[in-house]
Amino acid sequence: MDKNIFSAVKAADRAYLERAISSREAVPDQRDQNGNTLMHIAVELKRNELAILELLISNGWDVNSQNNLGATPLHYVALRKDSGRPVALLLLKNLANTQISTNLGHTPLHLACERYKLELVQVLLEHKAIPGSMDRNNNTPLHVLLLSQGRDTVAREIVEVLIKGGARLDTKNCEGNDSLLLASSRGFTRVCQLLLQNGSNPRITNDFGNTVVHLSSAAGHSELVEMLLELEMPYINVTNADGDTPLHLAVKNNHAEVAAVLIKKGSSIATKNAAGKSPLDLVSQDEKSIFAVKHPELIKLISSRKPKSKVPEEEDIGCLIF
């Protein structure tokens, strides 16, 4: 009978569910193989979800019940295709807890940020969600947002809401990345501008010694690299833990446009990394490399910046003969 009850909820069959509740064939402690209650299932319905949720709540179903993953129905609101706002408001009206974490340490706010659900983020923050809560990798909801797939414009709106909600911008995750470092790796120019306006440190480095220019260069975000270099921070030739400058990373990752920006802004083509390679070495070590073939204009630019060899003065030549 349990299987039929769960199927009835998935089919949004309110009449069947009412009969099952009346006959005690459907009870609050019933769970499927994943530990989901009927509440977890109802949250994701595409129709009649509010009516079915109200029916379950009025008959004793727990809005804060956790499944095998540690997720509550409120966590699953973020999985909906729509904003999830009406469903979230119904659960919150009935005392859903915004601070419960899954087994991986994710709160509903983490998941709302992961899915770029702006309205849901706003609702959760209005109901005591904690923007500084960390998952098992020390990622806050802000970190999760910037680690997930989405657009710069939407991300900026959500970041602004999180900042107003009290999110700290300098918190680092398990790899030492704060929000500015993550935003730079994604090429989110608008988000980076907002973070800098709100006090983010442009000189910040992660556990691997990478600056915002390292990360944006490695990912090929030329527009952001130009914007960051306009701050006139002295980090265009800063090296990371591997001895790489931003130019090393741009060349290694075949980002010719970024490399050109860095060189024009004064990046050194002679600085050697821990492997003893300069950006010039990485390009010129194989004249038949894909990089050289695809980007002859960059090779020309680099060649024009090659350090000139010192020619011994005439009085020194005699000494060199011996």
Side-chain angles (χ1 to χ4, degrees):
M1 184 62 186
D2 285 3
K3 182 178 179 180
N4 291 334
I5 293 169
F6 279 91
S7 297
V9 173
K10 289 178 181 178
D13 190 341
R14 189 175 187 275
Y16 183 98
L17 182 59
E18 284 180 327
R19 292 194 299 271
I21 291 173
S22 296
S23 65
R24 301 292 297 166
E25 293 173 349
V27 293
D29 60 357
Q30 284 171 319
R31 294 176 181 269
D32 65 12
Q33 67 273 20
N34 297 314
N36 293 312
T37 67
L38 296 178
M39 287 283 293
H40 289 88
I41 305 301
V43 160
E44 294 190 70
L45 293 177
K46 296 179 180 178
R47 59 188 177 87
N48 294 337
E49 65 272 22
L50 296 179
I52 289 177
L53 284 169
E54 287 174 341
L55 176 63
L56 292 171
I57 292 170
S58 65
N59 282 278
W61 266 259
D62 182 6
V63 296
N64 291 315
S65 57
Q66 293 176 267
N67 63 14
N68 295 347
L69 298 175
T72 67
L74 190 57
H75 283 93
Y76 279 77
V77 175
L79 303 182
R80 294 180 59 86
K81 298 294 184 182
D82 59 16
S83 70
R85 179 183 172 86
V87 177
L89 286 173
L90 174 61
L91 295 175
L92 292 164
K93 178 183 176 182
N94 288 278
L95 305 182
N97 189 337
T98 60
Q99 299 175 22
I100 294 176
S101 298
T102 66
N103 300 344
L104 295 177
H106 295 138
T107 65
L109 186 58
H110 280 92
L111 299 187
C113 286
E114 180 191 27
R115 299 302 178 101
Y116 277 61
K117 295 290 184 69
L118 174 59
E119 288 187 63
L120 185 56
V121 169
Q122 292 171 322
V123 168
L124 292 171
L125 287 171
E126 290 167 1
H127 289 80
K128 300 183 180 180
I130 301 175
S133 57
M134 292 185 178
D135 66 14
R136 286 170 56 180
N137 291 317
N138 290 346
N139 288 312
T140 66
L142 180 53
H143 288 113
V144 169
L145 172 75
L146 298 173
L147 285 166
S148 305
Q149 296 297 320
R151 298 196 307 275
D152 186 13
T153 51
V154 180
R156 188 193 185 284
E157 290 184 83
I158 297 176
V159 171
E160 192 165 19
V161 170
L162 289 169
I163 291 173
K164 290 178 180 177
R168 289 184 60 93
L169 305 184
D170 58 353
T171 301
K172 289 189 172 186
N173 65 10
C174 64
E175 293 185 338
N177 288 310
D178 74 347
S179 53
L180 183 61
L181 287 164
L182 291 178
S184 66
S185 70
R186 296 297 310 281
F188 283 174
T189 302
R190 294 177 181 83
V191 172
C192 286
Q193 289 171 333
L194 177 63
L195 293 172
L196 289 166
Q197 289 166 5
N198 282 274
S200 284
N201 179 10
R203 290 188 175 89
I204 195 75
T205 59
N206 63 17
D207 292 349
F208 306 100
N210 289 312
T211 66
V212 290
V213 179
H214 278 99
L215 296 177
S216 52
S217 296
H221 303 302
S222 57
E223 179 186 348
L224 178 56
V225 171
E226 285 196 85
M227 187 274 283
L228 292 169
L229 293 179
E230 286 175 3
L231 299 175
E232 298 183 357
M233 303 303 297
Y235 49 20
I236 192 170
N237 290 314
V238 168
T239 57
N240 63 14
D242 293 323
D244 287 325
T245 64
L247 183 56
H248 280 96
L249 298 184
V251 173
K252 282 182 178 181
N253 290 285
N254 202 27
H255 297 310
E257 189 175 348
V258 173
V261 169
L262 291 167
I263 293 170
K264 289 175 181 176
K265 292 288 186 178
S267 183
S268 170
I269 61 173
T271 301
K272 294 186 181 295
N273 61 16
K277 299 291 185 181
S278 69
L280 182 60
D281 295 328
L282 295 174
V283 175
S284 62
Q285 62 186 340
D286 183 1
E287 292 298 328
K288 296 181 180 179
S289 69
I290 295 176
F291 194 93
V293 172
K294 283 188 175 182
H295 307 293
E297 74 287 350
L298 182 60
I299 302 301
K300 184 177 180 180
L301 177 61
I302 290 177
S303 298
S304 70
R305 300 296 179 94
K306 283 185 180 180
K308 294 181 179 179
S309 300
K310 289 186 177 180
V311 178
E313 296 179 1
E314 286 189 12
E315 59 268 26
D316 293 330
I317 293 178
C319 296
L320 292 175
I321 293 175
F322 294 99

mmCIF file of all heavy atoms in Angstrom, residues 178-223:
data_model
loop_
_atom_site.group_PDB
_atom_site.id
_atom_site.type_symbol
_atom_site.label_atom_id
_atom_site.label_comp_id
_atom_site.label_asym_id
_atom_site.label_seq_id
_atom_site.Cartn_x
_atom_site.Cartn_y
_atom_site.Cartn_z
ATOM 1 N N ASP A 178 38.375 32.944 -1.226
ATOM 2 C CA ASP A 178 37.268 33.766 -0.750
ATOM 3 C C ASP A 178 36.352 34.072 -1.936
ATOM 4 O O ASP A 178 36.559 33.563 -3.042
ATOM 5 C CB ASP A 178 37.777 35.037 -0.059
ATOM 6 C CG ASP A 178 38.324 36.073 -1.034
ATOM 7 O OD1 ASP A 178 38.546 35.738 -2.221
ATOM 8 O OD2 ASP A 178 38.542 37.228 -0.613
ATOM 9 N N SER A 179 35.355 34.895 -1.722
ATOM 10 C CA SER A 179 34.375 35.164 -2.778
ATOM 11 C C SER A 179 34.996 35.868 -3.984
ATOM 12 O O SER A 179 34.648 35.575 -5.132
ATOM 13 C CB SER A 179 33.218 35.993 -2.220
ATOM 14 O OG SER A 179 33.690 37.154 -1.562
ATOM 15 N N LEU A 180 35.941 36.781 -3.755
ATOM 16 C CA LEU A 180 36.557 37.506 -4.870
ATOM 17 C C LEU A 180 37.395 36.573 -5.737
ATOM 18 O O LEU A 180 37.372 36.665 -6.972
ATOM 19 C CB LEU A 180 37.421 38.655 -4.345
ATOM 20 C CG LEU A 180 38.075 39.539 -5.410
ATOM 21 C CD1 LEU A 180 37.022 40.215 -6.285
ATOM 22 C CD2 LEU A 180 38.978 40.590 -4.769
ATOM 23 N N LEU A 181 38.131 35.679 -5.109
ATOM 24 C CA LEU A 181 38.940 34.725 -5.870
ATOM 25 C C LEU A 181 38.057 33.816 -6.727
ATOM 26 O O LEU A 181 38.358 33.563 -7.898
ATOM 27 C CB LEU A 181 39.802 33.890 -4.920
ATOM 28 C CG LEU A 181 40.983 34.629 -4.276
ATOM 29 C CD1 LEU A 181 41.516 33.856 -3.081
ATOM 30 C CD2 LEU A 181 42.099 34.860 -5.295
ATOM 31 N N LEU A 182 36.954 33.350 -6.152
ATOM 32 C CA LEU A 182 36.055 32.481 -6.916
ATOM 33 C C LEU A 182 35.388 33.246 -8.055
ATOM 34 O O LEU A 182 35.260 32.728 -9.168
ATOM 35 C CB LEU A 182 34.994 31.885 -5.988
ATOM 36 C CG LEU A 182 35.500 30.872 -4.962
ATOM 37 C CD1 LEU A 182 34.357 30.394 -4.071
ATOM 38 C CD2 LEU A 182 36.165 29.679 -5.641
ATOM 39 N N ALA A 183 34.979 34.470 -7.784
ATOM 40 C CA ALA A 183 34.342 35.278 -8.830
ATOM 41 C C ALA A 183 35.316 35.555 -9.969
ATOM 42 O O ALA A 183 34.933 35.563 -11.146
ATOM 43 C CB ALA A 183 33.826 36.588 -8.241
ATOM 44 N N SER A 184 36.584 35.766 -9.638
ATOM 45 C CA SER A 184 37.582 36.034 -10.680
ATOM 46 C C SER A 184 37.830 34.794 -11.526
ATOM 47 O O SER A 184 38.048 34.892 -12.737
ATOM 48 C CB SER A 184 38.889 36.529 -10.056
ATOM 49 O OG SER A 184 39.505 35.518 -9.275
ATOM 50 N N SER A 185 37.782 33.618 -10.910
ATOM 51 C CA SER A 185 37.994 32.384 -11.673
ATOM 52 C C SER A 185 36.841 32.124 -12.634
ATOM 53 O O SER A 185 37.009 31.455 -13.652
ATOM 54 C CB SER A 185 38.166 31.191 -10.728
ATOM 55 O OG SER A 185 36.954 30.875 -10.078
ATOM 56 N N ARG A 186 35.662 32.656 -12.320
ATOM 57 C CA ARG A 186 34.493 32.496 -13.181
ATOM 58 C C ARG A 186 34.394 33.593 -14.236
ATOM 59 O O ARG A 186 33.558 33.520 -15.131
ATOM 60 C CB ARG A 186 33.211 32.508 -12.335
ATOM 61 C CG ARG A 186 33.071 31.363 -11.346
ATOM 62 C CD ARG A 186 33.010 30.015 -12.050
ATOM 63 N NE ARG A 186 32.041 30.025 -13.122
ATOM 64 C CZ ARG A 186 30.728 29.906 -12.946
ATOM 65 N NH1 ARG A 186 30.249 29.747 -11.728
ATOM 66 N NH2 ARG A 186 29.911 29.920 -13.967
ATOM 67 N N GLY A 187 35.211 34.627 -14.102
ATOM 68 C CA GLY A 187 35.135 35.735 -15.048
ATOM 69 C C GLY A 187 33.959 36.651 -14.801
ATOM 70 O O GLY A 187 33.499 37.352 -15.705
ATOM 71 N N PHE A 188 33.470 36.682 -13.573
ATOM 72 C CA PHE A 188 32.307 37.506 -13.222
ATOM 73 C C PHE A 188 32.759 38.942 -12.934
ATOM 74 O O PHE A 188 32.975 39.331 -11.791
ATOM 75 C CB PHE A 188 31.596 36.920 -12.009
ATOM 76 C CG PHE A 188 30.754 35.710 -12.307
ATOM 77 C CD1 PHE A 188 30.155 35.001 -11.279
ATOM 78 C CD2 PHE A 188 30.548 35.271 -13.607
ATOM 79 C CE1 PHE A 188 29.360 33.888 -11.538
ATOM 80 C CE2 PHE A 188 29.767 34.161 -13.879
ATOM 81 C CZ PHE A 188 29.171 33.467 -12.842
ATOM 82 N N THR A 189 32.864 39.729 -13.978
ATOM 83 C CA THR A 189 33.341 41.106 -13.840
ATOM 84 C C THR A 189 32.426 41.932 -12.945
ATOM 85 O O THR A 189 32.890 42.668 -12.065
ATOM 86 C CB THR A 189 33.452 41.771 -15.223
ATOM 87 O OG1 THR A 189 34.350 41.003 -16.039
ATOM 88 C CG2 THR A 189 33.983 43.192 -15.103
ATOM 89 N N ARG A 190 31.115 41.827 -13.149
ATOM 90 C CA ARG A 190 30.164 42.618 -12.355
ATOM 91 C C ARG A 190 30.201 42.223 -10.885
ATOM 92 O O ARG A 190 30.121 43.072 -9.997
ATOM 93 C CB ARG A 190 28.751 42.456 -12.917
ATOM 94 C CG ARG A 190 28.560 43.046 -14.309
ATOM 95 C CD ARG A 190 27.158 42.777 -14.827
ATOM 96 N NE ARG A 190 26.950 43.317 -16.164
ATOM 97 C CZ ARG A 190 27.303 42.693 -17.279
ATOM 98 N NH1 ARG A 190 27.891 41.505 -17.215
ATOM 99 N NH2 ARG A 190 27.083 43.247 -18.457
ATOM 100 N N VAL A 191 30.316 40.925 -10.631
ATOM 101 C CA VAL A 191 30.394 40.462 -9.242
ATOM 102 C C VAL A 191 31.680 40.959 -8.596
ATOM 103 O O VAL A 191 31.673 41.430 -7.451
ATOM 104 C CB VAL A 191 30.317 38.923 -9.166
ATOM 105 C CG1 VAL A 191 30.596 38.441 -7.738
ATOM 106 C CG2 VAL A 191 28.953 38.429 -9.620
ATOM 107 N N CYS A 192 32.788 40.878 -9.323
ATOM 108 C CA CYS A 192 34.068 41.349 -8.783
ATOM 109 C C CYS A 192 34.002 42.837 -8.447
ATOM 110 O O CYS A 192 34.498 43.269 -7.399
ATOM 111 C CB CYS A 192 35.196 41.083 -9.776
ATOM 112 S SG CYS A 192 35.693 39.346 -9.887
ATOM 113 N N GLN A 193 33.392 43.614 -9.324
ATOM 114 C CA GLN A 193 33.249 45.049 -9.059
ATOM 115 C C GLN A 193 32.449 45.288 -7.784
ATOM 116 O O GLN A 193 32.818 46.118 -6.944
ATOM 117 C CB GLN A 193 32.566 45.729 -10.247
ATOM 118 C CG GLN A 193 33.440 45.819 -11.493
ATOM 119 C CD GLN A 193 32.673 46.294 -12.714
ATOM 120 O OE1 GLN A 193 31.463 46.097 -12.823
ATOM 121 N NE2 GLN A 193 33.377 46.922 -13.649
ATOM 122 N N LEU A 194 31.358 44.540 -7.625
ATOM 123 C CA LEU A 194 30.518 44.680 -6.431
ATOM 124 C C LEU A 194 31.286 44.288 -5.174
ATOM 125 O O LEU A 194 31.219 44.980 -4.151
ATOM 126 C CB LEU A 194 29.265 43.807 -6.573
ATOM 127 C CG LEU A 194 28.310 43.786 -5.375
ATOM 128 C CD1 LEU A 194 27.728 45.181 -5.130
ATOM 129 C CD2 LEU A 194 27.191 42.767 -5.603
ATOM 130 N N LEU A 195 32.025 43.195 -5.240
ATOM 131 C CA LEU A 195 32.788 42.732 -4.081
ATOM 132 C C LEU A 195 33.869 43.737 -3.695
ATOM 133 O O LEU A 195 34.071 44.026 -2.512
ATOM 134 C CB LEU A 195 33.413 41.367 -4.383
ATOM 135 C CG LEU A 195 32.433 40.206 -4.563
ATOM 136 C CD1 LEU A 195 33.162 38.960 -5.049
ATOM 137 C CD2 LEU A 195 31.691 39.907 -3.266
ATOM 138 N N LEU A 196 34.552 44.283 -4.682
ATOM 139 C CA LEU A 196 35.594 45.277 -4.409
ATOM 140 C C LEU A 196 34.990 46.547 -3.809
ATOM 141 O O LEU A 196 35.567 47.149 -2.897
ATOM 142 C CB LEU A 196 36.360 45.599 -5.691
ATOM 143 C CG LEU A 196 37.283 44.481 -6.200
ATOM 144 C CD1 LEU A 196 37.731 44.756 -7.622
ATOM 145 C CD2 LEU A 196 38.490 44.315 -5.278
ATOM 146 N N GLN A 197 33.816 46.924 -4.297
ATOM 147 C CA GLN A 197 33.128 48.101 -3.749
ATOM 148 C C GLN A 197 32.728 47.892 -2.294
ATOM 149 O O GLN A 197 32.588 48.847 -1.532
ATOM 150 C CB GLN A 197 31.880 48.412 -4.585
ATOM 151 C CG GLN A 197 32.176 48.965 -5.969
ATOM 152 C CD GLN A 197 30.957 48.942 -6.875
ATOM 153 O OE1 GLN A 197 29.847 48.605 -6.452
ATOM 154 N NE2 GLN A 197 31.160 49.285 -8.141
ATOM 155 N N ASN A 198 32.555 46.620 -1.917
ATOM 156 C CA ASN A 198 32.125 46.306 -0.556
ATOM 157 C C ASN A 198 33.269 45.817 0.329
ATOM 158 O O ASN A 198 33.033 45.208 1.375
ATOM 159 C CB ASN A 198 31.001 45.272 -0.591
ATOM 160 C CG ASN A 198 29.664 45.892 -0.951
ATOM 161 O OD1 ASN A 198 28.945 46.382 -0.087
ATOM 162 N ND2 ASN A 198 29.341 45.890 -2.246
ATOM 163 N N GLY A 199 34.498 46.088 -0.104
ATOM 164 C CA GLY A 199 35.637 45.868 0.773
ATOM 165 C C GLY A 199 36.458 44.619 0.569
ATOM 166 O O GLY A 199 37.358 44.338 1.376
ATOM 167 N N SER A 200 36.200 43.839 -0.478
ATOM 168 C CA SER A 200 37.039 42.660 -0.724
ATOM 169 C C SER A 200 38.478 43.089 -0.987
ATOM 170 O O SER A 200 38.730 44.130 -1.597
ATOM 171 C CB SER A 200 36.512 41.861 -1.921
ATOM 172 O OG SER A 200 35.374 41.123 -1.571
ATOM 173 N N ASN A 201 39.406 42.265 -0.549
ATOM 174 C CA ASN A 201 40.831 42.572 -0.664
ATOM 175 C C ASN A 201 41.370 42.119 -2.020
ATOM 176 O O ASN A 201 41.447 40.913 -2.281
ATOM 177 C CB ASN A 201 41.590 41.865 0.461
ATOM 178 C CG ASN A 201 43.091 42.105 0.400
ATOM 179 O OD1 ASN A 201 43.570 42.938 -0.367
ATOM 180 N ND2 ASN A 201 43.831 41.361 1.202
ATOM 181 N N PRO A 202 41.768 43.041 -2.904
ATOM 182 C CA PRO A 202 42.259 42.640 -4.230
ATOM 183 C C PRO A 202 43.611 41.939 -4.193
ATOM 184 O O PRO A 202 44.024 41.338 -5.176
ATOM 185 C CB PRO A 202 42.351 43.972 -4.983
ATOM 186 C CG PRO A 202 42.548 44.991 -3.917
ATOM 187 C CD PRO A 202 41.750 44.504 -2.745
ATOM 188 N N ARG A 203 44.309 41.999 -3.045
ATOM 189 C CA ARG A 203 45.612 41.340 -2.923
ATOM 190 C C ARG A 203 45.499 39.924 -2.350
ATOM 191 O O ARG A 203 46.507 39.260 -2.142
ATOM 192 C CB ARG A 203 46.534 42.159 -2.008
ATOM 193 C CG ARG A 203 47.005 43.481 -2.594
ATOM 194 C CD ARG A 203 48.060 44.096 -1.672
ATOM 195 N NE ARG A 203 48.650 45.298 -2.218
ATOM 196 C CZ ARG A 203 48.174 46.517 -2.044
ATOM 197 N NH1 ARG A 203 47.069 46.685 -1.335
ATOM 198 N NH2 ARG A 203 48.773 47.563 -2.571
ATOM 199 N N ILE A 204 44.288 39.460 -2.120
ATOM 200 C CA ILE A 204 44.082 38.161 -1.482
ATOM 201 C C ILE A 204 44.678 37.036 -2.327
ATOM 202 O O ILE A 204 44.689 37.095 -3.552
ATOM 203 C CB ILE A 204 42.569 37.910 -1.255
ATOM 204 C CG1 ILE A 204 42.330 36.770 -0.271
ATOM 205 C CG2 ILE A 204 41.849 37.654 -2.565
ATOM 206 C CD1 ILE A 204 42.583 37.144 1.148
ATOM 207 N N THR A 205 45.209 36.011 -1.662
ATOM 208 C CA THR A 205 45.706 34.814 -2.352
ATOM 209 C C THR A 205 45.089 33.583 -1.706
ATOM 210 O O THR A 205 44.715 33.603 -0.532
ATOM 211 C CB THR A 205 47.240 34.698 -2.272
ATOM 212 O OG1 THR A 205 47.644 34.656 -0.895
ATOM 213 C CG2 THR A 205 47.919 35.871 -2.964
ATOM 214 N N ASN A 206 44.997 32.499 -2.474
ATOM 215 C CA ASN A 206 44.484 31.252 -1.903
ATOM 216 C C ASN A 206 45.634 30.369 -1.426
ATOM 217 O O ASN A 206 46.793 30.801 -1.405
ATOM 218 C CB ASN A 206 43.576 30.522 -2.906
ATOM 219 C CG ASN A 206 44.310 30.096 -4.173
ATOM 220 O OD1 ASN A 206 45.543 30.050 -4.226
ATOM 221 N ND2 ASN A 206 43.548 29.775 -5.204
ATOM 222 N N ASP A 207 45.335 29.140 -1.057
ATOM 223 C CA ASP A 207 46.355 28.250 -0.496
ATOM 224 C C ASP A 207 47.423 27.859 -1.508
ATOM 225 O O ASP A 207 48.460 27.307 -1.141
ATOM 226 C CB ASP A 207 45.697 26.983 0.061
ATOM 227 C CG ASP A 207 44.851 27.260 1.294
ATOM 228 O OD1 ASP A 207 44.942 28.384 1.838
ATOM 229 O OD2 ASP A 207 44.090 26.363 1.711
ATOM 230 N N PHE A 208 47.178 28.109 -2.785
ATOM 231 C CA PHE A 208 48.143 27.789 -3.837
ATOM 232 C C PHE A 208 48.896 29.036 -4.298
ATOM 233 O O PHE A 208 49.651 28.990 -5.266
ATOM 234 C CB PHE A 208 47.428 27.133 -5.021
ATOM 235 C CG PHE A 208 46.609 25.939 -4.630
ATOM 236 C CD1 PHE A 208 45.235 26.048 -4.462
ATOM 237 C CD2 PHE A 208 47.210 24.713 -4.388
ATOM 238 C CE1 PHE A 208 44.472 24.956 -4.077
ATOM 239 C CE2 PHE A 208 46.460 23.614 -3.998
ATOM 240 C CZ PHE A 208 45.090 23.731 -3.838
ATOM 241 N N GLY A 209 48.661 30.143 -3.591
ATOM 242 C CA GLY A 209 49.364 31.378 -3.908
ATOM 243 C C GLY A 209 48.798 32.139 -5.085
ATOM 244 O O GLY A 209 49.409 33.101 -5.565
ATOM 245 N N ASN A 210 47.627 31.736 -5.560
ATOM 246 C CA ASN A 210 47.030 32.406 -6.715
ATOM 247 C C ASN A 210 46.291 33.677 -6.312
ATOM 248 O O ASN A 210 45.530 33.683 -5.344
ATOM 249 C CB ASN A 210 46.057 31.468 -7.431
ATOM 250 C CG ASN A 210 46.765 30.350 -8.160
ATOM 251 O OD1 ASN A 210 47.727 30.587 -8.885
ATOM 252 N ND2 ASN A 210 46.304 29.126 -7.963
ATOM 253 N N THR A 211 46.512 34.733 -7.081
ATOM 254 C CA THR A 211 45.787 35.988 -6.900
ATOM 255 C C THR A 211 44.569 35.997 -7.823
ATOM 256 O O THR A 211 44.369 35.067 -8.615
ATOM 257 C CB THR A 211 46.683 37.186 -7.267
ATOM 258 O OG1 THR A 211 46.960 37.130 -8.685
ATOM 259 C CG2 THR A 211 47.990 37.157 -6.500
ATOM 260 N N VAL A 212 43.794 37.058 -7.743
ATOM 261 C CA VAL A 212 42.637 37.181 -8.638
ATOM 262 C C VAL A 212 43.080 37.257 -10.094
ATOM 263 O O VAL A 212 42.377 36.775 -10.994
ATOM 264 C CB VAL A 212 41.780 38.413 -8.268
ATOM 265 C CG1 VAL A 212 41.069 38.193 -6.955
ATOM 266 C CG2 VAL A 212 42.615 39.687 -8.222
ATOM 267 N N VAL A 213 44.248 37.846 -10.341
ATOM 268 C CA VAL A 213 44.748 37.937 -11.719
ATOM 269 C C VAL A 213 45.220 36.571 -12.209
ATOM 270 O O VAL A 213 45.030 36.218 -13.374
ATOM 271 C CB VAL A 213 45.868 38.992 -11.838
ATOM 272 C CG1 VAL A 213 46.383 39.063 -13.270
ATOM 273 C CG2 VAL A 213 45.358 40.359 -11.420
ATOM 274 N N HIS A 214 45.841 35.779 -11.327
ATOM 275 C CA HIS A 214 46.205 34.406 -11.701
ATOM 276 C C HIS A 214 44.970 33.632 -12.162
ATOM 277 O O HIS A 214 44.966 33.005 -13.231
ATOM 278 C CB HIS A 214 46.814 33.658 -10.501
ATOM 279 C CG HIS A 214 48.258 33.926 -10.255
ATOM 280 N ND1 HIS A 214 48.684 34.809 -9.306
ATOM 281 C CD2 HIS A 214 49.386 33.412 -10.821
ATOM 282 C CE1 HIS A 214 50.010 34.838 -9.283
ATOM 283 N NE2 HIS A 214 50.463 34.003 -10.200
ATOM 284 N N LEU A 215 43.931 33.663 -11.344
ATOM 285 C CA LEU A 215 42.754 32.837 -11.618
ATOM 286 C C LEU A 215 41.988 33.305 -12.843
ATOM 287 O O LEU A 215 41.531 32.487 -13.649
ATOM 288 C CB LEU A 215 41.839 32.821 -10.387
ATOM 289 C CG LEU A 215 42.446 32.161 -9.141
ATOM 290 C CD1 LEU A 215 41.487 32.255 -7.961
ATOM 291 C CD2 LEU A 215 42.802 30.702 -9.414
ATOM 292 N N SER A 216 41.843 34.610 -13.005
ATOM 293 C CA SER A 216 41.131 35.110 -14.186
ATOM 294 C C SER A 216 41.956 34.897 -15.454
ATOM 295 O O SER A 216 41.401 34.651 -16.527
ATOM 296 C CB SER A 216 40.770 36.591 -14.017
ATOM 297 O OG SER A 216 41.898 37.363 -13.670
ATOM 298 N N SER A 217 43.276 34.954 -15.333
ATOM 299 C CA SER A 217 44.144 34.701 -16.492
ATOM 300 C C SER A 217 44.103 33.233 -16.887
ATOM 301 O O SER A 217 44.019 32.894 -18.074
ATOM 302 C CB SER A 217 45.588 35.106 -16.171
ATOM 303 O OG SER A 217 45.695 36.489 -15.928
ATOM 304 N N ALA A 218 44.160 32.351 -15.898
ATOM 305 C CA ALA A 218 44.142 30.910 -16.164
ATOM 306 C C ALA A 218 42.847 30.486 -16.841
ATOM 307 O O ALA A 218 42.826 29.554 -17.647
ATOM 308 C CB ALA A 218 44.329 30.137 -14.866
ATOM 309 N N ALA A 219 41.758 31.189 -16.517
ATOM 310 C CA ALA A 219 40.451 30.834 -17.077
ATOM 311 C C ALA A 219 40.144 31.573 -18.380
ATOM 312 O O ALA A 219 39.128 31.308 -19.019
ATOM 313 C CB ALA A 219 39.359 31.114 -16.051
ATOM 314 N N GLY A 220 41.009 32.505 -18.764
ATOM 315 C CA GLY A 220 40.849 33.163 -20.055
ATOM 316 C C GLY A 220 39.886 34.332 -20.090
ATOM 317 O O GLY A 220 39.312 34.627 -21.137
ATOM 318 N N HIS A 221 39.734 35.029 -18.965
ATOM 319 C CA HIS A 221 38.770 36.133 -18.905
ATOM 320 C C HIS A 221 39.489 37.471 -19.117
ATOM 321 O O HIS A 221 39.838 38.172 -18.166
ATOM 322 C CB HIS A 221 38.042 36.111 -17.567
ATOM 323 C CG HIS A 221 37.347 34.813 -17.284
ATOM 324 N ND1 HIS A 221 36.385 34.292 -18.122
ATOM 325 C CD2 HIS A 221 37.488 33.919 -16.267
ATOM 326 C CE1 HIS A 221 35.953 33.142 -17.633
ATOM 327 N NE2 HIS A 221 36.602 32.895 -16.513
ATOM 328 N N SER A 222 39.699 37.826 -20.363
ATOM 329 C CA SER A 222 40.502 39.008 -20.692
ATOM 330 C C SER A 222 39.871 40.310 -20.204
ATOM 331 O O SER A 222 40.570 41.215 -19.742
ATOM 332 C CB SER A 222 40.744 39.075 -22.202
ATOM 333 O OG SER A 222 39.518 39.095 -22.910
ATOM 334 N N GLU A 223 38.542 40.428 -20.310
ATOM 335 C CA GLU A 223 37.864 41.653 -19.870
ATOM 336 C C GLU A 223 38.085 41.888 -18.380
ATOM 337 O O GLU A 223 38.369 43.008 -17.944
ATOM 338 C CB GLU A 223 36.367 41.564 -20.164
ATOM 339 C CG GLU A 223 35.578 42.789 -19.718
ATOM 340 C CD GLU A 223 34.073 42.626 -19.894
ATOM 341 O OE1 GLU A 223 33.647 41.662 -20.565
ATOM 342 O OE2 GLU A 223 33.328 43.461 -19.355
#
